Amino acid sequence: MVTTALWVRMEAKPGKEKDVEAFLLGGRPLVMEEPATIAWFGVKIGPSSYAIFDVFPNDAGRQAHLSGKVAAALMAQAAELFSQPPSIEKIDVLASKMPG
């Protein structure tokens, strides 16, 4: 069961779209190492707009993810890749359907 989530919105700098996509693809193996990250999605919402949506069983799992390798890499590359700092929203999951 998931109860908490993150919605991280990112806007790529002009010409950095492929780099953002590569970052998101490269983040998947790091997230696979996080047992409390139940689901993780890197998505493209528009020509230069991207987001990460991920869900957790509780706030402790969400906090562990925010302290993890993907979050550190995101913040380390933010100035190079994004036209503004990523917008990180902590959200509560009211209903879900998960496999299994």
Side-chain angles (χ1 to χ4, degrees):
M1 182 169 158
V2 296
T3 63
T4 61
L6 290 170
W7 176 255
V8 181
R9 178 102 187 216
M10 301 160 285
E11 188 67 32
K13 284 184 175 179
K16 292 292 186 176
E17 296 84 0
K18 293 296 181 196
D19 294 328
V20 172
E21 292 173 23
F23 172 82
L24 291 173
L25 290 167
R28 186 180 182 277
L30 297 174
V31 173
M32 295 298 288
E33 298 174 9
E34 299 178 356
T37 302
I38 305 301
W40 182 90
F41 303 90
V43 299
K44 184 174 185 175
I45 342 179
S48 60
S49 298
Y50 299 86
I52 296 171
F53 176 72
D54 36 17
V55 296
F56 313 92
N58 52 41
D59 192 53
R62 179 169 57 190
Q63 288 304 123
H65 177 72
L66 287 169
S67 300
K69 294 177 183 177
V70 173
L74 179 70
M75 298 320 287
Q77 296 182 39
E80 176 188 340
L81 296 177
F82 308 119
S83 60
Q84 58 195 19
S87 167
I88 301 172
E89 295 182 54
K90 293 180 179 180
I91 55 180
D92 295 325
V93 176
L94 300 178
S96 65
K97 178 189 179 290
M98 301 294 294

